[in-house]
Amino acid sequence: VQLVESEGGSVQIGGSLNVSCIISELRYPGYTLAWYRRAPGKEREGVAAIDKDGHTNYAPSVKGRFTISQDRQDSGKITFYLLMRNLQFEDTAMYYCAAGPYIPVTKVIPPPSWYNYWGQGTQVTVSS
């Protein structure tokens, strides 16, 4: 299973950016997908998660600004997205997509240990 992230980028403060993650084939009967980020000098942070049924959860720091979504194809290919709006300096980080077996996400974003597969990371930089 491979997770391939799109290129991030540099965005001005208040701007928007949409990153994607393509999963070649996920063999779980159900799944949970997530975006994590790691800023310099900070711990990895769960940003958003979505489960097979489309339920979502967000970190308080991004709620209302970020949107996670998914697109499933009959072939088994899944593409999921993180649309980031009103970007702030503190959103500057390396962003990683992750996939794991199904677990409900309505109460909490599952911890990093839950996921079996990770993307390579994509850099998002917010500047003035």
Side-chain angles (χ1 to χ4, degrees), residues 38-113:
R38 175 168 278 164
K42 294 188 177 181
E43 292 188 0
R44 184 168 42 180
E45 175 190 21
V47 175
I50 187 168
D51 65 26
K52 64 179 180 62
D53 298 320
H55 301 115
T56 60
N57 202 339
Y58 298 91
S61 58
V62 307
K63 197 169 185 179
R65 300 189 297 121
F66 289 14
T67 303
I68 188 172
S69 61
Q70 62 178 324
D71 177 37
R72 293 178 291 182
Q73 298 182 12
D74 292 339
S75 63
K77 178 180 170 182
I78 300 172
T79 304
F80 68 111
Y81 305 89
L82 185 67
L83 173 60
M84 300 176 281
R85 295 183 292 256
N86 190 21
L87 282 160
Q88 304 297 309
F89 293 133
E90 54 266 32
D91 296 318
T92 294
M94 186 72 80
Y95 284 73
Y96 299 89
C97 59
Y102 172 71
I103 187 171
V105 303
T106 51
K107 293 188 176 181
V108 66
I109 296 174
S113 58

